[in-house]
Amino acid sequence: DERVTLHIAGTFPMESGSGGWAGGEACRPAVLMALEDVNNRLDIIPGYKLNINVSNSKCQPGLASQQLYDFLYTPPTKLMLLAGCSPVTTLIAEAAPVWNLVVISYGGSSPALSNRERFPTLFRTHPSANMQNPTRLSLFEKFNWKRISILQSVEEVFTSTSKDLEELCRKNNIRADRQSFYGDPTDAIKTLVRQDARIIVGLFYETEARKVLCQAYRHKLYGPRYVWVFIGWYADTWYIPPVEEHLRCTADEMRTAAQYHFTTESIMLAGKDVMSQTGMTGQEFQRRLNEKLVTDPANAGGYPEAPLAYDAVWALALAFKCAKERLPYGVKLEHFNYENGTISQTLYECVRNTSFIGVSGQVMFSDSGDRIAKTQIEQMQDGKYVLMGYYDSNKQELEWFDKEKWFTERGPPPDSTIIKKNLI
Ligand SMILES: CC1(C)CO[C@@H](CC(=O)O)CN1
């Protein structure tokens, strides 16, 4: 094989030792599959083939920084970097410009990563958590809710998202009150009761979501007068209390409190019959990936995000193709040496102009390198999630299927905007 090899490097969080996202389990096989597919096609980067150096970041920035230096100070030169979870993406994307490297993140959801000053060469195939805020707003506007409450746990990703949502509501003259908690939500729930909160957006991980739901049940913050809007990427049965968490609620009580809540999430898999430029539909990609997984796909870490990892390699390969065609005569990709501004600038422009249909849908980046993706809204009905509609942030359009259910014939609860004046 007389093709020239182009080297890249990628970090994958293979286990969640530090409680971060263990997405490498399904995302690394997806990346290796994409490299195989790209290398098997001679028309993507004619005359070249790709090779990747991988490491297990365990979603720990310190470990990832050591691995990054190993990648960069061990020949051969790498032309681009793939990164996974937000904390590691933050570190790698902050360091990469020193070596004139572009970074593509398949797992970074933190809104803080949209900062072009701090991360000038970062692109993400994973949508920012902020992408769900226009979707939430479209839900409030559909049911004419003018006062909402936000309940978040203190992680940076949820603080960034809740501040963005609060600002978006303010711009659309919707009143938003924010509450945050660390670990135990009980006091925050009591405050929501005192504030007569009705429409409540929850921003926290699954474990905290169960504590919130149980406290909501205990404080009767559920039923006809309330609507909860949770994050949609929890497991479908997230509300069932695991024995080891010693929640003081039974599965029935949790199901009762969870009845008719809404969720929002970014769509990470191309539509049913969408044929991607990579030659597969989303379903065919998942079938191939399932064969490569040693564990049951339903439990493989990062399984929902695997299409994003697969498409990250295609974005990188198509950028190499684009750069090969644009480089000045005589300048070749394999001449890159962490110093060459022409090659790195050309690669940056090529990634910025990415536009192709991948297995995760249309892959395009905003000026801050963010993935532009659709979102979907579901509602929990008798323990099962039912699709309510899609929100397209580009067109600012909500496609709604009129499948929502309410506790009473009267329909959605009022948001009790008229705050009872304190009786003098
Ligand atoms: C949807 C989720 C689970 C959000 O966190 C991402 C991981 C991270 O942002 O660190 C992975 N995808």
Side-chain angles (χ1 to χ4, degrees):
D1 183 342
E2 72 297 335
R3 290 185 294 176
V4 171
T5 300
L6 297 177
H7 297 269
I8 62 173
T11 65
F12 299 87
M14 299 312 288
E15 62 244 19
S16 63
S18 65
W21 174 65
E25 198 178 341
C27 287
R28 189 171 65 183
V31 161
L32 297 177
M33 189 202 300
L35 281 163
E36 189 187 314
D37 293 352
V38 166
N39 285 337
N40 286 342
R41 286 187 43 178
L42 303 179
D43 62 325
I44 303 298
I45 332 171
Y48 290 105
K49 69 178 181 182
L50 295 178
N51 176 62
I52 189 168
N53 297 263
V54 299
S55 73
N56 170 8
S57 71
K58 298 182 184 172
C59 199
Q60 293 171 0
L63 189 58
S65 62
Q66 178 188 54
Q67 294 163 357
L68 177 65
Y69 289 86
D70 285 348
F71 285 146
L72 301 180
Y73 287 109
T74 311
T77 306
K78 281 70 181 185
L79 273 85
M80 216 176 272
L81 302 173
L82 290 179
C85 65
S86 288
V88 167
T89 297
T90 303
L91 174 117
I92 289 181
E94 197 149 33
V98 173
W99 283 270
N100 286 303
L101 284 169
V102 167
V103 180
I104 301 185
S105 173
Y106 57 85
S109 71
S110 169
L113 290 167
S114 304
N115 181 333
R116 262 280 171 267
E117 283 67 49
R118 263 187 83 190
F119 314 110
T121 63
L122 172 65
F123 295 88
R124 316 189 240 179
T125 53
H126 191 301
S128 162
N130 279 358
M131 283 300 290
Q132 295 181 44
N133 287 335
T135 313
R136 293 176 175 123
L137 179 69
S138 74
L139 192 65
F140 305 152
E141 293 183 332
K142 176 174 178 62
F143 297 114
N144 194 28
W145 292 324
K146 309 293 278 178
R147 179 173 86 95
I148 62 124
S149 302
I150 303 169
L151 175 62
Q152 59 153 117
S153 63
V154 292
E155 285 82 1
E156 174 272 321
V157 58
F158 301 126
T159 300
S160 305
T161 306
S162 88
K163 281 180 177 167
D164 179 77
L165 179 57
E166 185 184 38
E167 176 60 20
L168 188 63
C169 286
R170 196 187 54 72
K171 281 187 192 139
N172 291 275
N173 64 35
I174 290 178
R175 183 178 149 184
D177 300 305
R178 283 175 54 221
Q179 290 282 338
S180 63
F181 68 91
Y182 173 68
D184 178 1
T186 307
D187 289 346
I189 294 279
K190 286 179 179 166
T191 306
L192 291 176
V193 172
R194 241 192 344 271
Q195 288 174 341
D196 187 22
R198 299 294 187 86
I199 317 297
I200 311 155
V201 177
L203 299 172
F204 23 69
Y205 289 115
E206 246 181 84
T207 313
E208 285 74 25
R210 281 189 281 274
K211 292 181 188 170
V212 165
L213 196 61
C214 184
Q215 286 302 323
Y217 181 80
R218 293 243 157 288
H219 292 83
K220 304 202 178 337
L221 208 59
Y222 68 92
R225 289 154 38 103
Y226 303 96
V227 173
W228 283 89
V229 182
F230 288 121
I231 290 173
W233 42 253
Y234 301 158
D236 280 353
T237 57
W238 66 270
Y239 59 88
I240 294 173
V243 173
E244 67 273 13
E245 290 181 5
H246 307 301
L247 287 161
R248 292 173 41 238
C249 291
T250 65
D252 279 348
E253 290 167 341
M254 296 287 271
R255 199 193 312 272
T256 302
Q259 178 75 314
Y260 300 152
H261 76 260
F262 289 100
T263 62
T264 59
E265 64 195 289
S266 291
I267 294 172
M268 300 180 182
L269 186 69
K272 214 151 181 48
D273 43 15
V274 168
M275 174 50 74
S276 76
Q277 197 169 324
T278 70
M280 281 184 293
T281 63
Q283 273 71 19
E284 284 160 356
F285 162 75
Q286 284 187 321
R287 264 199 296 283
R288 279 182 64 198
L289 181 64
N290 294 351
E291 287 154 22
K292 295 180 185 292
L293 294 177
V294 290
T295 60
D296 169 13
N299 305 326
Y303 190 78
E305 292 88 352
L308 308 175
Y310 184 87
D311 286 346
V313 170
W314 272 82
L316 170 155
L318 292 171
F320 284 161
K321 175 187 175 70
C322 155
K324 175 175 183 291
E325 290 154 4
R326 286 197 192 185
L327 283 174
Y329 183 71
V331 179
K332 296 187 180 314
L333 281 168
E334 59 269 39
H335 297 159
F336 183 68
N337 60 5
Y338 304 130
E339 305 293 329
N340 189 310
T342 305
I343 297 176
S344 68
Q345 190 53 36
T346 306
L347 277 174
Y348 173 83
E349 285 305 323
C350 285
V351 179
R352 208 170 75 88
N353 297 324
T354 296
S355 174
F356 68 95
I357 297 190
V359 292
S360 68
Q362 175 74 33
V363 180
M364 275 171 70
F365 303 114
S366 69
D367 286 345
S368 51
D370 286 346
R371 171 71 184 270
I372 299 164
K374 283 192 174 183
T375 55
Q376 71 178 25
I377 299 177
E378 292 183 322
Q379 185 185 40
M380 169 72 63
Q381 297 175 0
D382 305 321
K384 290 270 174 291
Y385 277 118
V386 176
L387 180 65
M388 292 291 115
Y390 296 111
Y391 185 75
D392 180 329
S393 58
N394 268 342
K395 299 180 194 150
Q396 298 195 335
E397 265 172 26
L398 175 64
E399 184 188 2
W400 193 258
F401 304 132
D402 296 327
K403 290 227 175 70
E404 73 275 21
K405 285 190 177 172
W406 307 103
F407 285 94
T408 64
E409 292 314 309
R410 272 202 319 276
D415 57 14
S416 78
T417 310
I418 302 91
I419 315 287
K420 290 187 232 32
K421 295 279 172 284
N422 297 337
L423 300 179
I424 303 164

